[in-house]
Amino acid sequence: MSTTVTAEHFLATSIELATANVLNSGGPFGAVIVTADGRAFEGVNRVTATNDPTAHAEVTAIRNACRELGTFDLSGATLYTSCEPCPMCLASALWARIGNVVFAADRHDAASVGFDDAVFYEYFENEDRDTLMPVTKLELGDPQAPAILEPFNTWNTLDSRIDY
Ligand SMILES: Nc1nc2[nH]cnc2c(=O)[nH]1
């Protein structure tokens, strides 16, 4: 007899991971990545536990899945997470080529207990974003100017490059 494991099951697992993680010195976030062929990989938030501001549950799950599977490409996988992914986690999921994201609580729920997910979404939507963190393209003059495209030109002519 085969069992169908539902989206609700993986979302419930991500929530259980999140709650357990709070009692293990982590933030209240958990995630499960399920590959197209049904393999599941978990991640929890370890930001303060490891002094790594990028160690969100979703990023940790992506790292665990990629390491275990020996790939940087999770095409066809679904990311289940206890809370709406922040912009960093969404971008990480895009880079990992994850096909689908399903979440439980949202950015406003996270804000209600002090997390900045909603603030960082506003950064990308807000004309005034420079007040939070200016990002500047510095126009270089000679002699540095010609070097700007050197990394890309070198990459572009490398036969052995691995595109991603
Ligand atoms: N979705 C999500 N939001 C966060 N905000 C702060 N940490 C996290 C995390 O690990 N996951």
Side-chain angles (χ1 to χ4, degrees):
M1 188 184 76
S2 75
T3 330
T4 307
V5 186
T6 62
E8 284 79 3
H9 166 82
F10 290 119
L11 210 52
T13 301
S14 74
I15 295 166
E16 284 163 19
L17 286 168
T19 304
N21 193 48
V22 174
L23 305 176
N24 188 28
S25 312
F29 304 93
V32 182
I33 288 172
V34 183
T35 61
D37 64 357
R39 296 185 63 183
F41 300 90
E42 298 177 350
V44 290
N45 177 296
R46 302 308 290 163
V47 170
T48 59
T50 61
N51 291 322
D52 178 358
T54 71
H56 283 198
E58 297 88 334
V59 171
T60 304
I62 289 170
R63 288 177 182 155
N64 288 343
C66 288
R67 191 186 54 252
E68 291 292 316
L69 293 170
T71 181
F72 50 82
D73 185 343
L74 300 175
S75 293
T78 298
L79 169 63
Y80 297 94
T81 172
S82 64
C83 184
E84 182 176 11
C86 76
M88 172 186 72
C89 293
L90 266 193
S92 302
L94 285 167
W95 278 112
R97 312 297 168 182
I98 283 175
N100 196 17
V101 178
V102 180
F103 65 88
D106 67 22
R107 66 184 85 168
H108 308 293
D109 299 316
S112 75
V113 289
F115 289 98
D116 277 340
D117 301 56
V119 173
F120 296 152
Y121 268 101
E122 283 161 23
Y123 177 87
F124 291 101
E125 291 156 6
N126 188 349
E127 301 280 310
D128 275 345
R129 74 182 70 145
D130 278 5
T131 56
L132 183 59
M133 185 183 71
V135 179
T136 310
K137 174 172 168 56
L138 190 63
E139 298 296 345
L140 292 172
D142 284 334
Q144 298 105 317
I148 294 171
L149 295 178
E150 248 174 48
F152 293 144
N153 292 336
T154 305
W155 170 257
N156 210 25
T157 54
L158 187 73
D159 287 337
S160 62
R161 74 167 192 250
I162 299 171
D163 291 320
Y164 67 93

